[in-house]
Amino acid sequence: KAGVTQTPRYLIKTRGQQVTLSCSPISGHRSVSWYQQTPGQGLQFLFEYFSETQRNKGNFPGRFSGRQFSNSRSEMNVSTLELGDSALYLCASSLPTDGYTFGSGTRLTVV
Amino acid sequence: GNSVTQMEGPVTLSEEAFLTINCTYTATGYPSLFWYVQYPGEGLQLLLKATKADDKGSNKGFEATYRKETTSFHLEKGSVQVSDSAVYFCAREINNAGNMLTFGGGTRLMVKP
């Protein structure tokens, strides 16, 4: 079966802009979670969605938001980008029996 | 809290050497435990997992045993290859009306021919 698909793979944005990242989970997986990976902070949990509802949110400012659609695809949005938002953003979809499967990530560079 | 601590790297080994990467977790409940591997420029790949005490996860020659008494989940491999060079992450699941993972800081493994 197809894996988790994240688009785009790479993005370059300017400070102050906003960005939207997309994640398509494995078919049948209803839980989608997002993580930020940076060299300084490592892997940090952003938020998790299940059946279009945000169930958990990590310790990130309100500039970071997300949503999930009825087909389980998810998007995350970062507004008013800062240099420190440069990171690899990873999406994972999960089922209790399957564990967590990650996509290849979106590499965001803010200049 | 819900944290994971793993040994800092880099770990440098010669091919066919024995590998151990230590991982301990805080004992809040009985979380599922995971090892993920990340190759350069890629996302995380699940290497192995264990869902309860005394379970042993194994894959591609790697093993880890869920030790409740020592709150540990150390990764081992009897004979590493150059192709095992990557960053390894230990993770625990947090089930708090939802599903998410908390990760250790990652350990870079470099295997020399």
Side-chain angles (χ1 to χ4, degrees):
Chain A
K1 55 185 175 183
V4 178
T5 302
Q6 290 189 246
T7 56
R9 285 296 308 271
Y10 302 93
L11 267 179
I12 300 176
K13 290 286 188 178
T14 304
R15 271 182 302 173
Q17 286 187 313
Q18 67 95 25
V19 67
T20 299
L21 313 180
S22 178
C23 172
S24 294
I26 292 172
S27 178
H29 287 199
R30 294 164 64 189
S31 171
V32 175
S33 48
W34 289 87
Y35 297 81
Q36 181 196 63
Q37 185 178 24
T38 60
Q41 300 298 316
L43 281 154
Q44 294 186 287
F45 170 76
L46 278 157
F47 25 65
E48 185 234 356
Y49 288 87
F50 182 86
S51 292
E52 303 179 63
T53 300
Q54 186 182 89
R55 290 201 295 194
N56 287 285
K57 189 176 193 305
N59 189 24
F60 279 82
R63 299 185 297 107
F64 290 80
S65 63
R67 59 178 175 169
Q68 187 180 34
F69 301 95
S70 59
N71 62 357
S72 293
R73 189 177 71 86
S74 177
E75 290 181 347
M76 67 163 282
N77 184 279
V78 187
S79 62
T80 318
L81 283 165
E82 301 176 0
L83 294 178
D85 297 333
S86 295
L88 179 66
Y89 290 88
L90 293 164
C91 161
S93 74
S94 64
L95 265 181
T97 53
D98 288 358
Y100 297 77
T101 303
F102 284 81
S104 297
T106 294
R107 171 81 57 191
L108 171 65
T109 302
V110 182
V111 297
Chain B
N2 299 303
S3 66
V4 174
T5 303
Q6 62 182 104
M7 60 189 288
E8 291 189 21
V11 173
T12 304
L13 296 173
S14 297
E15 207 165 22
E16 299 185 2
F18 184 86
L19 168 71
T20 300
I21 301 178
N22 291 337
C23 171
T24 57
Y25 64 93
T26 52
T28 306
Y30 301 97
S32 293
L33 301 173
F34 306 83
W35 277 101
Y36 282 87
V37 59
Q38 187 175 38
Y39 298 98
E42 298 185 12
L44 300 174
Q45 295 179 24
L46 177 64
L47 185 57
L48 53 84
K49 67 177 181 180
T51 58
K52 60 184 187 297
D54 300 325
D55 264 2
K56 177 186 281 189
S58 60
N59 186 27
K60 301 180 182 179
F62 291 89
E63 293 183 339
T65 301
Y66 192 142
R67 302 281 188 204
K68 189 175 75 121
E69 62 277 10
T70 54
T71 62
S72 64
F73 192 55
H74 304 323
L75 182 68
E76 296 182 336
K77 186 176 186 184
S79 176
V80 294
Q81 306 300 312
V82 172
S83 58
D84 294 326
S85 299
V87 181
Y88 293 80
F89 292 92
C90 183
R92 63 160 288 170
E93 187 173 43
I94 303 170
N95 299 107
N96 184 23
N99 298 316
M100 52 190 162
L101 298 172
T102 185
F103 289 87
T107 302
R108 180 174 300 279
L109 170 65
M110 296 189 294
V111 181
K112 298 184 175 180

